[in-house]
Coordinates of all heavy atoms in Angstrom, one line a residue:
M100 N 55.6 12.7 12.1 CA 54.4 12.5 12.8 C 53.2 13.5 12.5 O 52.1 13.1 12.3 CB 54.7 12.5 14.3 CG 53.5 12.0 15.2 SD 53.3 10.2 14.9 CE 52.1 9.9 16.0
K101 N 53.7 14.8 12.4 CA 52.8 15.9 12.0 C 52.1 15.7 10.7 O 51.0 15.8 10.5 CB 53.5 17.2 12.1 CG 52.8 18.2 12.9 CD 53.6 19.4 13.0 CE 52.9 20.4 14.0 NZ 53.6 21.7 14.1
R102 N 53.1 15.1 9.8 CA 52.6 14.9 8.3 C 51.6 13.8 8.3 O 50.6 14.1 7.6 CB 53.8 14.7 7.5 CG 54.6 15.9 7.1 CD 55.7 15.5 6.2 NE 56.6 16.6 6.1 CZ 57.6 16.7 5.3 NH1 58.0 15.5 4.6 NH2 58.5 17.7 5.2
L103 N 51.8 12.8 9.0 CA 50.9 11.7 9.0 C 49.6 12.1 9.6 O 48.5 11.8 9.0 CB 51.4 10.6 10.0 CG 50.7 9.3 9.9 CD1 50.5 8.7 8.5 CD2 51.3 8.3 10.9
L104 N 49.5 13.0 10.6 CA 48.3 13.5 11.2 C 47.6 14.3 10.2 O 46.3 14.2 10.2 CB 48.6 14.3 12.4 CG 47.5 14.8 13.3 CD1 46.5 13.6 13.7 CD2 47.9 15.5 14.5
I105 N 48.2 15.2 9.5 CA 47.7 16.1 8.4 C 47.0 15.2 7.3 O 46.0 15.4 6.8 CB 48.7 17.1 8.0 CG1 49.0 18.1 9.1 CG2 48.2 17.8 6.6 CD1 50.2 19.0 8.7
V106 N 47.8 14.2 6.8 CA 47.4 13.4 5.8 C 46.1 12.5 6.2 O 45.2 12.4 5.5 CB 48.5 12.3 5.3 CG1 48.0 11.3 4.5 CG2 49.5 13.1 4.6
M107 N 46.1 12.1 7.4 CA 45.0 11.3 8.0 C 43.8 12.2 8.1 O 42.6 11.8 7.8 CB 45.4 10.7 9.3 CG 46.5 9.6 9.3 SD 45.9 8.1 8.3 CE 45.0 7.3 9.5
T108 N 44.0 13.5 8.6 CA 42.8 14.4 8.6 C 42.3 14.8 7.3 O 41.0 14.8 7.1 CB 43.4 15.7 9.3 OG1 43.9 15.4 10.6 CG2 42.2 16.7 9.7
V109 N 43.1 15.0 6.3 CA 42.6 15.3 4.9 C 41.9 14.2 4.4 O 40.7 14.2 3.7 CB 43.9 15.7 4.0 CG1 43.4 15.8 2.6 CG2 44.4 17.0 4.5
L110 N 42.5 13.0 4.5 CA 41.8 11.7 4.1 C 40.5 11.5 4.8 O 39.4 11.1 4.1 CB 42.7 10.5 4.4 CG 42.4 9.2 3.7 CD1 42.2 9.3 2.3 CD2 43.3 8.0 4.1
F111 N 40.3 11.7 6.0 CA 39.1 11.6 6.8 C 38.1 12.7 6.3 O 36.9 12.3 6.0 CB 39.4 11.8 8.4 CG 38.1 11.7 9.1 CD1 37.4 10.5 9.4 CD2 37.5 12.8 9.7 CE1 36.4 10.4 10.1 CE2 36.3 12.7 10.4 CZ 35.9 11.4 10.5
G112 N 38.6 13.8 6.0 CA 37.7 14.8 5.4 C 37.2 14.5 4.0 O 35.9 14.7 3.8
L113 N 38.0 13.9 3.2 CA 37.6 13.4 1.9 C 36.6 12.3 2.1 O 35.6 12.4 1.2 CB 38.7 13.0 1.0 CG 39.7 14.1 0.6 CD1 40.8 13.4 -0.2 CD2 38.9 15.0 -0.4
L114 N 36.8 11.5 2.8 CA 35.8 10.3 3.1 C 34.5 10.9 3.5 O 33.5 10.5 3.2 CB 36.4 9.3 4.1 CG 37.5 8.5 3.5 CD1 38.1 7.6 4.5 CD2 37.0 7.6 2.3
Q115 N 34.5 11.8 4.5 CA 33.2 12.4 5.1 C 32.6 13.2 3.9 O 31.3 13.1 3.8 CB 33.6 13.4 6.0 CG 33.9 12.7 7.5 CD 32.7 12.1 8.1 OE1 31.6 12.5 8.1 NE2 33.0 10.8 8.4
Y116 N 33.3 13.9 3.1 CA 32.6 14.5 1.9 C 31.9 13.6 1.1 O 30.7 13.7 0.7 CB 33.6 15.3 1.1 CG 33.1 15.9 -0.1 CD1 32.4 17.1 0.0 CD2 33.2 15.3 -1.4 CE1 31.8 17.8 -1.1 CE2 32.6 15.9 -2.4 CZ 31.9 17.2 -2.4 OH 31.4 17.7 -3.5
R117 N 32.5 12.4 0.7 CA 32.0 11.3 -0.1 C 30.8 10.8 0.6 O 29.8 10.5 -0.1 CB 32.9 10.4 -0.5 CG 34.0 10.8 -1.5 CD 34.7 9.6 -2.0 NE 33.7 8.8 -2.8 CZ 34.0 7.5 -3.1 NH1 35.2 6.9 -2.9 NH2 33.2 6.7 -3.8
L118 N 30.9 10.7 1.9 CA 29.7 10.0 2.6 C 28.4 11.0 2.5 O 27.3 10.4 2.4 CB 30.1 9.9 4.1 CG 29.0 9.3 5.0 CD1 28.7 7.8 4.5 CD2 29.4 9.4 6.5
W119 N 28.7 12.2 2.7 CA 27.5 13.2 2.8 C 27.1 13.9 1.5 O 25.9 14.1 1.3 CB 27.8 14.2 3.7 CG 27.8 13.6 5.2 CD1 29.0 13.5 5.9 CD2 26.8 13.2 6.1 NE1 28.6 12.9 7.1 CE2 27.3 12.7 7.2 CE3 25.4 13.1 5.8 CZ2 26.6 12.1 8.2 CZ3 24.6 12.6 6.8 CH2 25.3 12.2 8.0
F120 N 28.0 14.0 0.5 CA 27.8 14.8 -0.6 C 28.0 14.0 -1.9 O 27.7 14.5 -3.1 CB 28.4 16.2 -0.5 CG 28.2 17.0 0.5 CD1 29.0 17.1 1.6 CD2 26.9 17.6 0.7 CE1 28.8 17.8 2.7 CE2 26.7 18.3 1.9 CZ 27.5 18.4 2.9
G121 N 28.8 13.0 -2.0 CA 29.4 12.4 -3.1 C 28.2 11.4 -3.7 O 27.1 11.4 -3.4
Q122 N 28.7 10.7 -4.8 CA 27.8 9.7 -5.5 C 27.5 8.6 -4.4 O 28.3 8.2 -3.6 CB 28.5 9.1 -6.7 CG 27.6 8.3 -7.4 CD 28.3 7.8 -8.8 OE1 29.4 7.9 -8.9 NE2 27.6 7.1 -9.6
N123 N 26.2 8.2 -4.4 CA 25.7 7.1 -3.4 C 25.8 7.5 -2.0 O 26.2 6.8 -1.2 CB 26.4 5.8 -3.7 CG 26.1 5.3 -5.0 OD1 25.1 5.4 -5.6 ND2 27.1 4.6 -5.6
S124 N 25.6 8.8 -1.8 CA 25.8 9.4 -0.4 C 24.7 8.9 0.5 O 23.6 8.3 0.1 CB 25.7 11.0 -0.6 OG 24.4 11.3 -1.0
L125 N 24.8 9.2 1.7 CA 23.9 8.8 2.8 C 22.4 9.4 2.6 O 21.5 8.6 2.6 CB 24.4 9.1 4.1 CG 24.0 8.3 5.3 CD1 24.4 6.8 5.1 CD2 24.8 8.7 6.6
P126 N 22.3 10.7 2.3 CA 21.0 11.4 2.1 C 20.3 10.6 0.7 O 19.1 10.5 0.8 CB 21.2 12.8 1.8 CG 22.5 13.1 2.6 CD 23.3 11.8 2.4
E127 N 21.1 10.4 -0.3 CA 20.6 9.6 -1.4 C 20.1 8.3 -1.0 O 19.0 7.9 -1.6 CB 21.7 9.6 -2.6 CG 21.1 9.2 -3.8 CD 22.3 9.1 -4.9 OE1 23.2 10.0 -4.8 OE2 22.2 8.3 -5.8
S128 N 20.9 7.7 -0.2 CA 20.5 6.3 0.1 C 19.1 6.4 1.0 O 18.2 5.3 0.7 CB 21.6 5.6 1.0 OG 21.1 4.4 1.6
F129 N 18.9 7.3 1.8 CA 17.8 7.5 2.5 C 16.5 7.6 1.6 O 15.4 7.1 1.7 CB 17.8 8.4 3.5 CG 18.7 8.1 4.8 CD1 19.4 9.2 5.4 CD2 18.7 6.9 5.2 CE1 20.2 8.8 6.4 CE2 19.6 6.5 6.2 CZ 20.3 7.5 6.9
Q130 N 16.7 8.4 0.6 CA 15.7 8.9 -0.4 C 15.3 7.6 -1.2 O 14.2 7.3 -1.4 CB 16.2 10.1 -1.3 CG 15.1 10.4 -2.3 CD 15.8 11.5 -3.1 OE1 17.0 11.6 -3.4 NE2 14.8 12.3 -3.8
L131 N 16.3 6.8 -1.5 CA 16.0 5.6 -2.3 C 15.3 4.6 -1.5 O 14.3 3.8 -1.9 CB 17.3 5.1 -2.9 CG 18.0 5.8 -4.0 CD1 19.4 5.0 -4.2 CD2 17.1 5.8 -5.2
Q132 N 15.6 4.5 -0.1 CA 14.9 3.6 0.7 C 13.4 4.0 0.8 O 12.5 3.2 0.9 CB 15.5 3.6 2.1 CG 16.9 2.9 2.2 CD 16.8 1.4 1.9 OE1 15.8 0.8 2.1 NE2 17.9 1.0 1.2
E133 N 13.1 5.3 0.9 CA 11.7 5.7 1.0 C 11.0 5.5 -0.5 O 9.8 5.0 -0.3 CB 11.7 7.2 1.3 CG 10.4 7.9 1.4 CD 10.4 9.4 1.7 OE1 11.4 9.8 2.4 OE2 9.6 10.1 1.3
Q134 N 11.7 5.7 -1.4 CA 11.0 5.3 -2.8 C 10.7 3.9 -3.0 O 9.7 3.4 -3.4 CB 12.0 5.7 -3.9 CG 12.0 7.2 -4.2 CD 12.9 7.7 -5.3 OE1 13.7 6.7 -5.8 NE2 13.1 8.9 -5.6
I135 N 11.6 3.0 -2.3 CA 11.4 1.6 -2.4 C 10.2 1.2 -1.6 O 9.4 0.5 -2.0 CB 12.6 0.9 -1.8 CG1 13.8 0.9 -2.9 CG2 12.3 -0.6 -1.5 CD1 15.1 0.3 -2.4
A136 N 10.1 1.8 -0.4 CA 8.8 1.7 0.5 C 7.6 1.9 -0.2 O 6.6 1.2 -0.1 CB 9.1 2.3 1.7
L137 N 7.6 3.1 -1.0 CA 6.4 3.6 -1.5 C 6.1 2.7 -2.8 O 4.9 2.4 -3.0 CB 6.6 5.0 -2.1 CG 6.6 6.1 -1.0 CD1 7.0 7.5 -1.7 CD2 5.3 6.2 -0.4
Q138 N 7.1 2.2 -3.4 CA 6.9 1.2 -4.5 C 6.3 -0.1 -4.0 O 5.4 -0.7 -4.7 CB 8.1 1.0 -5.3 CG 7.9 0.3 -6.6 CD 7.1 1.0 -7.5 OE1 7.2 2.2 -7.8 NE2 6.0 0.3 -8.1
R139 N 6.7 -0.5 -2.9 CA 6.2 -1.9 -2.3 C 4.8 -1.7 -1.9 O 4.0 -2.6 -2.1 CB 7.1 -2.2 -1.1 CG 8.5 -2.8 -1.5 CD 9.2 -3.3 -0.3 NE 10.4 -3.9 -0.9 CZ 11.6 -4.1 -0.2 NH1 11.5 -3.6 1.1 NH2 12.6 -4.6 -0.7
Q140 N 4.4 -0.5 -1.5 CA 3.0 -0.3 -1.0 C 2.1 -0.3 -2.3 O 1.1 -0.9 -2.3 CB 2.9 1.0 -0.3 CG 3.3 1.1 1.1 CD 3.3 2.5 1.7 OE1 3.0 3.4 1.1 NE2 3.6 2.5 3.1
S141 N 2.7 0.3 -3.3 CA 1.9 0.4 -4.6 C 1.8 -1.0 -5.1 O 0.7 -1.3 -5.6 CB 2.6 1.3 -5.5 OG 2.0 1.4 -6.8
N142 N 2.9 -1.7 -5.1 CA 2.8 -3.2 -5.6 C 2.0 -4.0 -4.8 O 1.2 -4.8 -5.5 CB 4.2 -3.7 -5.6 CG 5.1 -3.1 -6.6 OD1 4.8 -2.4 -7.6 ND2 6.5 -3.5 -6.5
A143 N 1.8 -3.7 -3.5 CA 0.9 -4.6 -2.7 C -0.6 -4.3 -3.1 O -1.4 -5.3 -3.2 CB 1.2 -4.3 -1.2
K144 N -0.9 -3.2 -3.3 CA -2.2 -2.7 -3.8 C -2.6 -3.3 -5.1 O -3.6 -3.8 -5.3 CB -2.4 -1.2 -3.8 CG -2.4 -0.5 -2.5 CD -2.5 1.0 -2.6 CE -2.4 1.7 -1.2 NZ -2.4 3.1 -1.5
L145 N -1.5 -3.3 -6.1 CA -1.9 -3.9 -7.4 C -2.0 -5.3 -7.4 O -2.8 -6.0 -8.1 CB -0.7 -3.4 -8.3 CG -0.6 -1.9 -8.7 CD1 0.6 -1.8 -9.5 CD2 -1.9 -1.5 -9.4
I146 N -1.2 -5.9 -6.4 CA -1.3 -7.4 -6.3 C -2.7 -7.8 -5.8 O -3.3 -8.8 -6.2 CB -0.2 -8.0 -5.4 CG1 1.2 -7.9 -6.1 CG2 -0.5 -9.4 -4.9 CD1 2.4 -8.2 -5.3
E147 N -3.2 -7.0 -4.7 CA -4.4 -7.3 -4.2 C -5.6 -7.1 -5.2 O -6.5 -7.9 -5.4 CB -4.7 -6.3 -3.0 CG -6.0 -6.5 -2.3 CD -6.2 -5.6 -1.1 OE1 -5.2 -5.2 -0.5 OE2 -7.2 -5.2 -0.8
R148 N -5.5 -6.0 -6.1 CA -6.4 -5.8 -7.2 C -6.4 -6.9 -8.1 O -7.5 -7.4 -8.6 CB -6.2 -4.5 -7.8 CG -7.3 -4.1 -8.8 CD -6.8 -2.8 -9.5 NE -6.4 -3.4 -10.8 CZ -5.5 -2.8 -11.6 NH1 -5.1 -1.6 -11.3 NH2 -5.2 -3.4 -12.7
N149 N -5.2 -7.4 -8.5 CA -5.2 -8.5 -9.5 C -5.7 -9.8 -8.9 O -6.3 -10.6 -9.7 CB -3.7 -8.7 -9.9 CG -3.1 -7.7 -10.8 OD1 -3.8 -6.9 -11.3 ND2 -1.8 -7.6 -10.9
Q150 N -5.5 -10.0 -7.6 CA -6.2 -11.2 -7.1 C -7.6 -11.1 -7.1 O -8.3 -12.1 -7.4 CB -5.7 -11.3 -5.6 CG -6.2 -12.7 -4.9 CD -5.5 -13.8 -5.7 OE1 -4.5 -13.8 -6.1 NE2 -6.3 -14.8 -5.6
V151 N -8.3 -10.0 -6.8 CA -9.7 -9.8 -6.9 C -10.2 -10.1 -8.4 O -11.2 -10.7 -8.6 CB -10.1 -8.4 -6.4 CG1 -11.6 -8.1 -6.8 CG2 -9.9 -8.2 -5.0
L152 N -9.6 -9.5 -9.3 CA -9.7 -9.8 -10.7 C -9.7 -11.2 -11.2 O -10.5 -11.7 -11.8 CB -8.9 -8.8 -11.6 CG -9.2 -7.3 -11.6 CD1 -8.2 -6.5 -12.4 CD2 -10.6 -7.1 -12.0
K153 N -8.7 -11.8 -10.6 CA -8.6 -13.3 -11.0 C -9.7 -14.1 -10.4 O -10.2 -15.0 -11.0 CB -7.2 -13.8 -10.3 CG -6.0 -13.4 -11.2 CD -4.7 -14.0 -10.5 CE -3.4 -13.5 -11.2 NZ -2.3 -14.0 -10.6
E154 N -10.1 -13.8 -9.1 CA -11.2 -14.5 -8.6 C -12.5 -14.2 -9.3 O -13.4 -15.1 -9.6 CB -11.4 -14.0 -7.1 CG -10.3 -14.6 -6.1 CD -10.4 -13.9 -4.8 OE1 -11.4 -13.2 -4.5 OE2 -9.5 -14.2 -4.0
E155 N -12.6 -13.0 -9.8 CA -13.9 -12.6 -10.6 C -13.8 -13.4 -11.9 O -14.9 -14.0 -12.4 CB -13.9 -11.2 -10.9 CG -15.3 -10.7 -11.6 CD -15.2 -9.2 -11.7 OE1 -14.5 -8.5 -11.0 OE2 -16.0 -8.7 -12.6
I156 N -12.7 -13.6 -12.5 CA -12.6 -14.3 -13.8 C -12.9 -15.7 -13.6 O -13.6 -16.3 -14.3 CB -11.1 -14.2 -14.4 CG1 -11.0 -12.7 -14.9 CG2 -10.9 -15.2 -15.5 CD1 -9.5 -12.3 -15.3
N157 N -12.4 -16.3 -12.5 CA -12.7 -17.7 -12.1 C -14.2 -17.8 -11.9 O -14.8 -19.0 -12.4 CB -12.0 -18.2 -11.0 CG -10.4 -18.4 -11.3 OD1 -10.1 -18.6 -12.5 ND2 -9.5 -18.3 -10.3
D158 N -14.8 -17.0 -11.2 CA -16.2 -17.0 -11.1 C -17.1 -17.1 -12.3 O -18.0 -17.8 -12.5 CB -16.7 -15.9 -10.1 CG -16.3 -16.1 -8.7 OD1 -16.0 -17.2 -8.3 OD2 -16.5 -15.1 -7.7
L159 N -16.7 -16.2 -13.1 CA -17.3 -16.0 -14.5 C -17.2 -17.3 -15.3 O -18.0 -17.7 -16.1 CB -16.8 -14.8 -15.2 CG -17.3 -13.5 -14.6 CD1 -16.6 -12.4 -15.3 CD2 -18.8 -13.3 -14.7
R160 N -16.0 -17.9 -15.2 CA -15.7 -19.2 -16.0 C -16.4 -20.3 -15.4 O -16.8 -21.2 -16.2 CB -14.2 -19.4 -15.9 CG -13.4 -18.6 -16.9 CD -12.1 -19.0 -17.0 NE -11.3 -18.2 -17.9 CZ -10.0 -18.0 -17.9 NH1 -9.3 -18.8 -17.1 NH2 -9.3 -17.2 -18.7
R161 N -16.6 -20.5 -14.1 CA -17.2 -21.6 -13.4 C -18.6 -21.7 -13.6 O -19.1 -22.9 -13.9 CB -16.7 -21.6 -12.0 CG -15.4 -22.3 -11.8 CD -15.3 -22.7 -10.3 NE -14.1 -21.9 -9.9 CZ -14.0 -21.1 -8.9 NH1 -15.1 -20.9 -8.1 NH2 -12.9 -20.5 -8.6
G162 N -19.4 -20.7 -13.3 CA -20.9 -20.8 -13.3 C -21.5 -19.8 -13.8 O -21.0 -18.7 -14.3
T163 N -22.8 -19.9 -13.9 CA -23.7 -18.9 -14.5 C -24.2 -17.9 -13.5 O -24.7 -16.8 -13.8 CB -25.0 -19.6 -15.2 OG1 -25.7 -20.3 -14.1 CG2 -24.6 -20.5 -16.2
E164 N -24.0 -18.1 -12.2 CA -24.6 -17.3 -11.1 C -23.8 -15.9 -11.3 O -24.4 -14.8 -11.1 CB -24.4 -17.8 -9.7 CG -25.3 -19.0 -9.6 CD -25.1 -19.6 -8.1 OE1 -24.3 -19.0 -7.3 OE2 -25.6 -20.7 -7.9
A165 N -22.5 -15.9 -11.3 CA -21.8 -14.7 -11.4 C -22.1 -14.0 -12.7 O -22.2 -12.7 -12.8 CB -20.2 -15.0 -11.3
L166 N -22.2 -14.8 -13.9 CA -22.6 -14.0 -15.1 C -23.9 -13.4 -14.9 O -24.2 -12.3 -15.5 CB -22.6 -15.1 -16.1 CG -21.7 -14.9 -17.3 CD1 -21.3 -16.2 -17.8 CD2 -22.2 -14.1 -18.3
E167 N -24.9 -14.2 -14.3 CA -26.3 -13.6 -14.3 C -26.3 -12.3 -13.3 O -26.8 -11.3 -13.6 CB -27.1 -14.6 -13.5 CG -28.5 -14.3 -13.4 CD -29.5 -15.4 -12.7 OE1 -29.1 -16.6 -13.0 OE2 -30.3 -14.9 -12.0
E168 N -25.5 -12.4 -12.2 CA -25.5 -11.2 -11.3 C -24.8 -10.0 -12.1 O -25.4 -8.9 -12.0 CB -24.5 -11.5 -10.1 CG -24.4 -10.3 -9.1 CD -23.4 -10.6 -8.1 OE1 -23.0 -11.8 -7.9 OE2 -23.0 -9.8 -7.4
R169 N -23.8 -10.3 -12.8 CA -23.2 -9.2 -13.6 C -24.1 -8.6 -14.6 O -24.2 -7.4 -14.8 CB -21.9 -9.6 -14.3 CG -21.0 -8.6 -14.8 CD -19.7 -9.2 -15.2 NE -18.8 -8.2 -15.5 CZ -17.7 -7.9 -14.8 NH1 -17.6 -8.5 -13.7 NH2 -16.9 -6.9 -15.1
A170 N -24.9 -9.5 -15.3 CA -25.9 -9.0 -16.3 C -26.9 -8.2 -15.7 O -27.4 -7.1 -16.2 CB -26.5 -10.2 -17.1
R171 N -27.4 -8.6 -14.5 CA -28.4 -7.8 -13.8 C -27.9 -6.4 -13.3 O -28.7 -5.5 -13.4 CB -29.0 -8.6 -12.6 CG -29.8 -9.8 -12.9 CD -30.0 -10.6 -11.6 NE -30.8 -11.7 -11.8 CZ -32.2 -11.8 -11.8 NH1 -32.8 -10.7 -11.6 NH2 -32.8 -12.8 -12.1
N172 N -26.7 -6.4 -12.7 CA -26.3 -5.1 -12.0 C -25.8 -4.2 -13.2 O -26.0 -3.0 -13.2 CB -25.1 -5.5 -11.2 CG -25.6 -6.2 -9.9 OD1 -26.7 -6.0 -9.6 ND2 -24.7 -6.9 -9.3
E173 N -25.0 -4.6 -14.3 CA -24.4 -3.9 -15.2 C -25.3 -3.4 -16.3 O -25.2 -2.5 -17.0 CB -23.1 -4.3 -15.6 CG -22.0 -4.3 -14.4 CD -20.7 -4.9 -14.8 OE1 -20.5 -5.0 -16.0 OE2 -19.9 -5.1 -14.0
L174 N -26.0 -4.5 -16.8 CA -26.9 -4.4 -18.1 C -28.3 -4.2 -17.7 O -29.1 -3.8 -18.7 CB -26.6 -5.6 -19.1 CG -25.1 -5.7 -19.3 CD1 -25.1 -7.0 -20.1 CD2 -24.7 -4.6 -20.2
G175 N -28.8 -4.3 -16.5 CA -30.1 -4.2 -16.2 C -31.1 -5.2 -16.7 O -32.2 -5.0 -17.0
M176 N -30.6 -6.4 -17.0 CA -31.3 -7.5 -17.6 C -32.2 -8.2 -16.4 O -31.9 -8.1 -15.2 CB -30.4 -8.5 -18.2 CG -29.5 -7.9 -19.3 SD -28.5 -9.1 -20.1 CE -29.6 -9.7 -21.3
V177 N -33.3 -8.7 -16.8 CA -34.2 -9.4 -16.0 C -34.6 -10.8 -16.7 O -34.6 -11.0 -17.9 CB -35.5 -8.6 -15.8 CG1 -35.2 -7.4 -14.9 CG2 -36.2 -8.2 -17.0
K178 N -35.1 -11.7 -15.7 CA -35.5 -13.0 -16.3 C -36.9 -13.0 -16.7 O -37.7 -12.0 -16.4 CB -35.4 -14.1 -15.2 CG -34.0 -14.5 -14.8 CD -34.1 -15.7 -13.8 CE -32.8 -16.1 -13.3 NZ -32.9 -17.1 -12.3
K179 N -37.3 -13.9 -17.4 CA -38.6 -14.0 -17.9 C -39.6 -14.3 -16.7 O -39.2 -15.1 -15.8 CB -38.9 -15.3 -18.9 CG -38.4 -14.9 -20.3 CD -38.7 -16.1 -21.2 CE -38.2 -15.8 -22.6 NZ -38.4 -16.9 -23.5
G180 N -40.7 -13.6 -16.6 CA -41.6 -13.7 -15.5 C -41.3 -12.8 -14.4 O -42.0 -12.5 -13.3
E181 N -40.1 -12.0 -14.3 CA -39.8 -11.2 -13.2 C -40.3 -9.8 -13.6 O -40.4 -9.3 -14.7 CB -38.2 -11.0 -13.2 CG -37.7 -12.4 -12.5 CD -36.2 -12.1 -12.3 OE1 -35.5 -11.4 -12.9 OE2 -35.7 -12.7 -11.4
T182 N -40.6 -8.9 -12.7 CA -41.0 -7.6 -12.9 C -39.8 -6.7 -12.3 O -39.4 -6.9 -11.2 CB -42.2 -7.3 -12.1 OG1 -43.2 -8.3 -12.5 CG2 -42.8 -5.9 -12.4
F183 N -39.4 -5.7 -13.1 CA -38.3 -4.8 -12.7 C -38.9 -3.4 -12.3 O -39.7 -2.9 -12.9 CB -37.4 -4.6 -13.9 CG -36.3 -3.7 -13.7 CD1 -35.2 -3.9 -12.8 CD2 -36.3 -2.4 -14.3 CE1 -34.2 -3.0 -12.7 CE2 -35.4 -1.4 -14.1 CZ -34.4 -1.8 -13.2
F184 N -38.6 -3.1 -11.1 CA -39.1 -1.7 -10.6 C -37.8 -0.9 -10.4 O -36.9 -1.2 -9.9 CB -39.7 -2.0 -9.1 CG -41.0 -2.8 -9.2 CD1 -41.0 -4.1 -9.0 CD2 -42.2 -2.1 -9.6 CE1 -42.1 -4.8 -8.9 CE2 -43.3 -2.9 -9.7 CZ -43.4 -4.3 -9.3
R185 N -37.9 0.3 -10.9 CA -36.9 1.4 -10.8 C -37.4 2.5 -9.8 O -38.5 3.2 -10.2 CB -36.5 2.0 -12.0 CG -35.4 3.0 -11.9 CD -34.9 3.6 -13.1 NE -34.0 2.6 -13.7 CZ -33.4 2.6 -14.7 NH1 -33.6 3.7 -15.6 NH2 -32.6 1.7 -15.2
V186 N -36.8 2.7 -8.7 CA -37.1 3.6 -7.8 C -36.5 4.9 -8.1 O -35.2 5.0 -8.1 CB -36.9 3.2 -6.3 CG1 -37.3 4.4 -5.2 CG2 -37.7 2.0 -6.0
V187 N -37.2 5.9 -8.5 CA -36.7 7.1 -8.9 C -36.9 8.2 -7.8 O -38.0 8.3 -7.1 CB -37.4 7.8 -10.1 CG1 -36.8 9.1 -10.6 CG2 -37.4 6.8 -11.3
G188 N -35.9 8.9 -7.5 CA -35.9 9.9 -6.4 C -34.5 10.1 -5.7 O -33.6 9.6 -6.2
E189 N -34.5 10.9 -4.8 CA -33.3 11.3 -4.1 C -33.0 10.2 -3.2 O -33.7 9.5 -2.6 CB -33.5 12.5 -3.3 CG -32.2 13.2 -2.9 CD -32.5 14.6 -2.3 OE1 -33.6 15.0 -2.3 OE2 -31.5 15.1 -1.8
P190 N -31.6 9.7 -3.3 CA -31.2 8.7 -2.4 C -31.5 9.0 -0.9 O -31.5 10.2 -0.6 CB -29.7 8.5 -2.7 CG -29.5 9.1 -4.0 CD -30.6 10.2 -4.1
Q191 N -31.7 8.0 -0.1 CA -32.1 8.2 1.2 C -31.1 9.0 2.1 O -31.4 9.8 2.8 CB -32.4 6.7 1.9 CG -33.0 6.9 3.3 CD -34.4 7.4 3.4 OE1 -35.0 7.4 2.3 NE2 -34.7 8.0 4.5
R192 N -29.8 8.6 1.8 CA -28.8 9.2 2.5 C -28.6 10.7 2.3 O -28.6 11.5 3.2 CB -27.4 8.6 2.1 CG -26.2 9.0 3.0 CD -25.0 8.4 2.6 NE -24.4 9.1 1.7 CZ -23.4 8.8 0.9 NH1 -22.9 7.7 1.2 NH2 -22.9 9.6 0.0
N193 N -29.0 11.2 1.1 CA -28.9 12.6 0.8 C -30.1 13.2 1.3 O -30.1 14.4 1.6 CB -28.8 12.8 -0.8 CG -27.4 12.5 -1.3 OD1 -26.5 12.3 -0.4 ND2 -27.2 12.2 -2.6
A194 N -31.2 12.6 1.3 CA -32.5 13.1 1.7 C -32.4 13.5 3.3 O -32.9 14.5 3.7 CB -33.7 12.2 1.5
D195 N -31.7 12.7 4.0 CA -31.6 12.8 5.4 C -30.6 14.1 5.7 O -30.9 14.9 6.6 CB -30.9 11.8 6.2 CG -31.9 10.6 6.3 OD1 -33.2 10.8 6.0 OD2 -31.5 9.5 6.4
I196 N -29.6 14.4 4.9 CA -28.6 15.5 5.0 C -29.4 16.8 4.9 O -29.1 17.8 5.5 CB -27.5 15.3 4.1 CG1 -26.6 14.1 4.5 CG2 -26.6 16.5 4.0 CD1 -25.6 13.7 3.5
H197 N -30.3 16.9 3.8 CA -30.9 18.1 3.4 C -32.1 18.6 4.4 O -32.6 19.6 4.2 CB -31.5 18.1 2.1 CG -30.4 18.0 1.0 ND1 -29.3 18.9 0.8 CD2 -30.0 17.0 0.2 CE1 -28.5 18.5 -0.1 NE2 -28.9 17.4 -0.5
R198 N -32.5 17.7 5.4 CA -33.6 18.0 6.2 C -33.2 19.0 7.3 O -32.3 19.3 7.7 CB -34.1 16.8 7.0 CG -35.0 16.0 6.0 CD -35.5 14.9 6.7 NE -36.1 14.0 5.7 CZ -36.6 12.8 5.9 NH1 -36.6 12.3 7.3 NH2 -37.1 12.1 5.0

């Protein structure tokens, strides 16, 4: 009976060692769960960004309004008969801060 108790105690100790310090241990499992959560957050942000880009591509394919807006904002283009005014100076927000 004493031998059985010693064998069971040693076996229990080995199992505890594997649980806490061995391969695929509990702390390693918690670390992997945290990495999975971070990766899922990153994936969600990338999926959202991709969706915005897909919508922009569809807008550009469908009509000229999105193309015209992009040309105006990014290239500074104007239509015939329009007058373009560029306001030079410190932005309003920064001007209020320095007063």
